[in-house]
């Protein structure tokens, strides 16, 4: 597997990740558009909605992880990281301090913040991004915060993310009958593709601009 060290490698991995997902979703959309037999089309739109969610969650997690790996491999000092990535790098220590009432743990964390920030940072990217198998707007906002990106473009899409996509997917996945109209599915398809493109663009721009560094 490619180690993501350069912007070019990051862009390549992002492109590969989104391309295969788009191809599969476009194929399903084509099947739905071609098949006008009502019962079959309804089955396909239900299946397609579940698949849309799967690719939405999968891409957000995969793309975000690629970016965290890229940042982790820049060989930066803790003091050179932007606040969001410094928080990610210190997540384990902060978590231990939060769950402990021992003065020694708090002292170790503070001591590191005072004397250890000039060391090379260590960021565990493999498990840095968690979608909780329930990628609602709140979880997405948290991921955006971790990466230091701008959440505002997603705010007007929260209803689509939480209700049109996630709630529908949950009802379908739990075996409930949910009728997804043809026009509703086509619109949802375009919205999710657009959001995936937006997320990819934001990551690429952040890498180019170096927003992961302390300004």
């Amino acid at each position: 597997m490619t180690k993501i060290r350069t912007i070019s490698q990051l862009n390549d991995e992002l492109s590969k990740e989104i391309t295969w997902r788009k191809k599969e979703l476009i194929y399903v959309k084509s099947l739905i558009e071609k098949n006008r037999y009502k019962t079959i089309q309804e089955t396909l739109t239900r299946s397609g909605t579940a698949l849309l969610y799967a690719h939405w969650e999968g891409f957000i997690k995969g793309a975000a992880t690629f970016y965290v790996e890229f940042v982790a491999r820049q060989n930066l000092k803790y003091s050179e990281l932007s606040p969001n990535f410094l928080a990610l790098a210190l997540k384990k220590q902060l978590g231990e301090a939060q769950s402990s009432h021992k003065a020694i743990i708090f002292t170790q964390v503070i001591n590191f913040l005072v004397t250890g920030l000039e060391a090379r940072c260590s960021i565990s990217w493999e498990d840095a991004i968690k979608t909780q198998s329930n990628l609602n707007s709140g979880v997405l906002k948290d991921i955006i915060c971790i990466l230091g990106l701008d959440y505002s473009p997603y705010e007007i899409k929260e209803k689509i993310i939480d209700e049109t996509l996630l709630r529908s997917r949950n009802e379908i996945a739990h075996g409930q009958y949910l009728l997804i109209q043809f026009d509703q599915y086509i619109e949802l398809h375009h919205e999710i593709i657009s959001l995936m493109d937006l997320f990819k663009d934001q990551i690429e721009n952040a890498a180019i601009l170096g927003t992961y560094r302390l300004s």
Side-chain angles (χ1 to χ4, degrees), residues 138-152:
V139 174
L140 176 64
K141 191 172 187 177
D142 194 56
I143 293 172
I144 294 289
C145 178
I146 290 172
L147 303 184
L149 306 179
D150 179 14
Y151 181 74
S152 61

Side-chain angles (χ1 to χ4, degrees), residues 24-61:
E24 190 164 292
L25 291 174
I26 289 170
Y27 178 64
V28 172
K29 175 174 169 286
S30 178
L31 286 176
I32 293 171
E33 289 173 329
K34 290 177 181 178
N35 199 314
R36 292 292 180 167
Y37 187 67
K38 186 173 182 295
T39 303
I40 296 177
Q41 190 179 79
E42 289 175 358
T43 300
L44 289 173
T45 55
R46 282 161 47 79
S47 302
T49 300
L51 192 62
L52 268 173
Y53 174 81
H55 280 305
W56 161 245
E57 179 183 322
F59 180 72
I60 294 298
K61 183 173 183 178

Side-chain angles (χ1 to χ4, degrees), residues 104-121:
I104 189 171
I105 301 296
F106 287 98
T107 302
Q108 288 172 349
V109 172
I110 297 303
N111 184 60
F112 177 83
L113 292 175
V114 173
T115 65
L117 293 182
E118 293 308 304
R120 295 296 172 187
C121 73

